[in-house]
Amino acid sequence: MKRSLYKKPAAAVMFLLAALLLGCQKKDSVLEAGLPDGIYSAEFHTDSTMFHVSEACDGKGVLTVEDGEMIIHISLNSKNIVNLYSGLAKDAKKDSAGLLMPTEDTVTYSDGMTEEVYGFDVPVPALDTEFDLALLGTKGKWYDHKVSVSNAVLSKEGTQAVKASALSDGTYSVDMTFQGGSGKAAILSPVTIVVTDGKATATVQWNSPNYDYMLVDEVKYLPVNTEGDSVFEIPVLCFDEPMQVIGDTVAMSSPHEVEYTLTFHADTIKEILHESSMELQYAENFTVEHYPGGYVLLTTTVDNKKFLLVPEDGEIPQDLEDGIVVLKRPIRDLYLVASSAMDMFCALDGLDKISFSGQKEDGWYIEEAKDAMARGEILYAGKYNKPDYELIVSNGCTLAIENTMISHAPEVVEKLEDFGIPMMIEYSSYEPHPLGRVEWVKFYGALLDKEKEAARIFEEQKAIFERIADDEKTDKTAAFFFVTSNNLIQVRQSTDYIPKIIELAGGKYVFENLGDAETKRSTINMQMEEFYAGAKDADFLIYNSSIDGGVASIEDLVDKCGLLAEFKAVNEGNVWCTTRDVYQQPLSIGYLAEDIHAMLSGETDNMNYMFRLE
């Protein structure tokens, strides 16, 4: 739902970003639209020392909120006030409907003494705002007074009464406490809640892909995703009250229903006021949020790192949430270590935004990158674990885009932070679906303010997959491998994107259940004997040339490992090799899938990234 509160990105927008959107300030249970339904303790202020709440109540009353209406019950200091009226004294005599009739209250003092006093239920139009309240004394005269109610705090008895339905329609963030099970499983917090027509739905993400359904109030909910950690959309019944749910896990030898307790904390509710969220079809490891005034928030969800893109003429919000990286447009002087992103920058006509490379000129198979380095427009600034700090600092590097290998070099991360150079990690390699990798072009499209171009590029690759998916599937099997320098065979985990490409192209990856998806690794090393047992009868072998430069013939391949001569695919001449540049070009994944489809179907006249070994 598109929501724009302000026409211009002025001070109001800055407050919106700093205080609401990015969660730098808690709102003490008070939402923008008012208090959620519940029972609160609140201070009652008057303009007269003769008109006040009983000393036994510490100047406070009990505030009840229901369906957006607020009423405070106050116990006065005596029975000298016999009536109250919501409004001015002059109207009290002619408007009996506004009269507030007293109740008999018993108050208890700290020494245990009790007293009978009058109490009243007073309608409250707004918090922290004075309103008119007339009183009638024992002598029969009405008097005008100004009163106000402030500092509403959810009371213990009110905790059970805070209902999710009290929230106005919108999107919210809320902290959640998770209990139950063995302690290994967890649901990530904070949780996003969407309220529509008074019904609240939470999107909950487990730290495991092994949950196949959840039960809430005996209603079964299935996951909303098919790849990655299990994600469910479940109802939120209330806040601050433990909510019992059941998660069915298939991680054990047989499915098990496990009871858990979720508690959504009302005092952490923050409304997320944004114009739109980028719709992603396959990518799971980033989000793009658009906010009023041209502000964009990018998040890499694996590490929850956030990057706020500020318009060139926009103000930087103050007091942002800790850890948010601010990047001022136009984006420039990037240090690109994640080589798979270079293809996307080139496709988006954003090569001029890169000033430093983690790859030498002769290490690039992308001609545009090679030429830019040859002209001196992009400088070699060292590998991920040995950056040239002097070069990138002195030349004003604004952001380092690293690959996942940076996790093995924490000293580099620390050093970059010391120099004030922000860093983001490129997690496209964690995407289980090949089109998820391609969809990272939208992340860079948002970074470079070229989202339309990015969407077009993605749709072109998606169309290729749709085209080959229309053809009839085959039962032919394929293995994708590489022979390491120590004579081990490196293959892909079954959950990696290459086996998925083989499947989408109409074939079957020869290793059906190999590896552990939770490790996020794409490859596994095995002994030749194990590879022989699993792949000797495969219909096709595909040799991955990206590491050692590949092989030129079947003879070259057999020289690497003599046992390969006994493989079915070798004897039938169905051995293929990838070109070296395929791993640097994620935007060619569709064409690689097309090549594999052609290999499986025998129509191999126009190959792009594979060739047959003779």
Side-chain angles (χ1 to χ4, degrees):
M1 178 171 59
K2 188 170 183 178
R3 317 172 80 201
S4 181
L5 300 185
Y6 306 103
K7 293 182 179 179
K8 296 181 180 179
V13 173
M14 304 317 299
F15 175 78
L16 167 71
L17 285 166
L20 297 180
L21 154 65
L22 302 177
C24 62
Q25 299 175 3
K26 290 184 179 179
K27 301 204 285 190
D28 298 327
S29 299
V30 183
L31 301 179
E32 194 71 13
L35 291 169
D37 284 8
I39 301 173
Y40 300 78
S41 172
E43 296 176 5
F44 183 78
H45 307 278
T46 74
D47 57 4
S48 171
T49 57
M50 302 300 292
F51 172 30
H52 59 83
V53 174
S54 171
E55 288 83 353
C57 301
D58 296 323
K60 297 178 181 179
V62 177
L63 181 71
T64 300
V65 182
E66 185 173 356
D67 295 332
E69 300 292 328
M70 297 186 288
I71 295 177
I72 189 167
H73 183 84
I74 52 174
S75 299
L76 299 183
N77 58 320
S78 69
K79 290 188 175 182
N80 293 328
I81 298 174
V82 295
N83 270 128
L84 294 178
Y85 173 76
S86 293
L88 297 172
K90 65 182 179 67
D91 299 320
K93 291 182 179 180
K94 48 188 178 182
D95 180 20
S96 59
L99 293 178
L100 308 178
M101 305 307 292
T103 60
E104 293 279 352
D105 288 5
T106 301
V107 296
T108 303
Y109 294 89
S110 58
D111 59 3
M113 296 292 291
T114 61
E115 182 182 11
E116 297 294 323
V117 300
Y118 281 151
F120 292 89
D121 290 328
V122 180
V124 180
L127 296 175
D128 302 308
T129 302
E130 284 191 341
F131 58 94
D132 294 310
L133 188 66
L135 65 83
L136 178 66
T138 54
K139 295 182 180 181
K141 185 177 180 180
W142 284 95
Y143 298 88
D144 283 321
H145 288 282
K146 294 286 188 182
V147 301
S148 64
V149 177
S150 64
N151 296 328
V153 176
L154 191 66
S155 60
K156 291 182 179 179
E157 61 268 31
T159 299
Q160 303 293 325
V162 181
K163 299 178 181 178
S165 59
L167 296 172
S168 58
D169 285 6
T171 304
Y172 300 84
S173 169
V174 61
D175 290 346
M176 184 212 65
T177 302
F178 175 92
Q179 293 178 319
S182 64
K184 293 182 180 179
I187 289 177
L188 305 183
S189 178
V191 171
T192 298
I193 292 175
V194 176
V195 179
T196 305
D197 296 332
K199 295 182 179 180
T201 301
T203 300
V204 297
Q205 178 177 338
W206 294 82
N207 63 345
S208 162
N210 297 317
Y211 286 84
D212 61 346
Y213 66 82
M214 290 181 70
L215 294 176
V216 181
D217 271 0
E218 299 183 352
V219 177
K220 180 183 286 189
Y221 296 88
L222 300 178
V224 296
N225 62 327
T226 57
E227 305 285 350
D229 291 339
S230 304
V231 178
F232 295 84
E233 293 179 352
I234 61 173
V236 178
L237 308 179
C238 59
F239 293 99
D240 292 322
E241 179 180 358
M243 191 171 97
Q244 303 298 321
V245 302
I246 290 175
D248 188 71
T249 176
V250 295
M252 307 176 198
S253 56
S254 60
H256 280 75
E257 290 188 349
V258 183
E259 293 185 359
Y260 301 98
T261 299
L262 313 183
T263 304
F264 300 94
H265 299 286
D267 64 340
T268 67
I269 295 172
K270 294 182 283 286
E271 188 170 12
I272 304 174
L273 299 175
H274 64 279
E275 291 185 326
S276 64
S277 301
M278 178 181 287
E279 292 187 10
L280 299 175
Q281 301 177 45
Y282 295 92
E284 300 174 0
N285 295 310
F286 74 89
T287 61
V288 179
E289 305 285 340
H290 297 95
Y291 294 90
Y295 292 81
V296 179
L297 187 69
L298 306 179
T299 303
T300 50
T301 55
V302 175
D303 54 8
N304 201 34
K305 196 71 176 286
K306 298 177 180 178
F307 304 85
L308 179 65
L309 304 176
V310 177
E312 186 173 7
D313 58 351
E315 298 178 32
I316 297 175
Q318 300 301 306
D319 301 321
L320 291 177
E321 178 184 322
D322 289 344
I324 290 183
V325 175
V326 175
L327 300 174
K328 191 90 174 190
R329 295 195 188 277
I331 302 300
R332 57 164 68 95
D333 296 320
L334 302 176
Y335 170 33
L336 184 62
V337 181
S339 57
S340 61
M342 180 64 82
D343 189 30
M344 299 185 180
F345 275 88
C346 290
L348 292 167
D349 195 25
L351 195 62
D352 60 331
K353 309 303 180 185
I354 301 170
S355 296
F356 314 99
S357 168
Q359 193 90 250
K360 292 182 178 179
E361 180 185 337
D362 59 5
W364 286 112
Y365 300 104
I366 298 174
E367 291 302 321
E368 297 96 321
K370 250 184 178 180
D371 293 344
M373 293 195 77
R375 294 191 299 267
E377 295 169 0
I378 298 178
L379 305 176
Y380 175 62
K383 296 172 60 178
Y384 77 93
N385 58 348
K386 289 185 179 180
D388 187 335
Y389 298 110
E390 183 178 355
L391 176 66
I392 60 178
V393 171
S394 62
N395 285 276
C397 175
T398 60
L399 177 69
I401 302 177
E402 302 278 353
N403 56 39
T404 56
M405 292 296 290
I406 194 65
S407 61
H408 301 295
E411 70 283 357
V412 174
V413 176
E414 184 177 346
K415 200 76 172 174
L416 289 172
E417 290 177 351
D418 289 343
F419 285 121
I421 298 176
M423 181 199 75
M424 67 148 285
I425 300 177
E426 215 267 7
Y427 286 107
S428 66
S429 63
Y430 280 19
E431 299 291 349
H433 196 287
L435 282 173
R437 293 191 168 210
V438 175
E439 202 159 18
W440 271 76
V441 72
K442 296 181 181 179
F443 180 94
Y444 296 110
L447 182 70
L448 300 178
D449 198 18
K450 296 187 176 185
E451 293 188 27
K452 289 183 179 179
E453 295 91 328
R456 176 186 53 76
I457 293 167
F458 171 76
E459 290 299 327
E460 288 175 356
Q461 290 294 302
K462 179 185 171 187
I464 296 175
F465 279 92
E466 290 175 345
R467 187 164 61 246
I468 62 178
D470 289 339
D471 289 350
E472 188 175 342
K473 301 294 182 184
T474 74
D475 292 325
K476 295 177 181 178
T477 57
F480 191 95
F481 74 106
F482 160 70
V483 181
T484 70
S485 58
N486 54 355
N487 295 319
L488 293 175
I489 306 298
Q490 186 182 90
V491 297
R492 298 289 175 142
Q493 281 201 154
S494 300
T495 54
D496 179 60
Y497 81 105
I498 290 292
K500 188 69 175 178
I501 287 178
I502 293 172
E503 176 191 337
L504 293 170
K508 293 181 180 178
Y509 185 55
V510 73
F511 299 104
E512 291 185 2
N513 297 295
L514 184 65
D516 181 359
E518 293 189 11
T519 65
K520 302 295 185 182
R521 292 185 56 189
S522 60
T523 61
I524 293 177
N525 289 341
M526 60 175 57
Q527 297 292 334
M528 182 61 206
E529 291 75 10
E530 185 181 358
F531 181 66
Y532 177 83
K536 65 181 177 65
D537 292 324
D539 295 305
F540 295 91
L541 295 181
I542 304 173
Y543 190 77
N544 179 14
S545 69
S546 62
I547 299 175
D548 67 350
V551 290
S553 65
I554 290 180
E555 183 180 355
D556 289 345
L557 181 61
V558 173
D559 284 345
K560 283 181 173 287
C561 181
L563 196 57
L564 288 169
E566 301 180 18
F567 280 54
K568 172 185 174 181
V570 171
N571 290 313
E572 293 181 356
N574 288 323
V575 184
W576 295 76
C577 184
T578 64
T579 58
R580 289 196 66 183
D581 56 346
V582 66
Y583 84 102
Q584 285 187 3
Q585 296 183 325
L587 296 183
S588 299
I589 281 178
Y591 302 119
L592 177 61
E594 207 167 35
D595 283 356
I596 294 176
H597 176 70
M599 175 193 77
L600 294 168
S601 62
E603 300 175 0
T604 59
D605 292 338
N606 299 304
M607 306 290 272
N608 295 292
Y609 293 98
M610 288 171 51
F611 60 92
R612 187 196 296 269
L613 295 181
E614 302 295 342

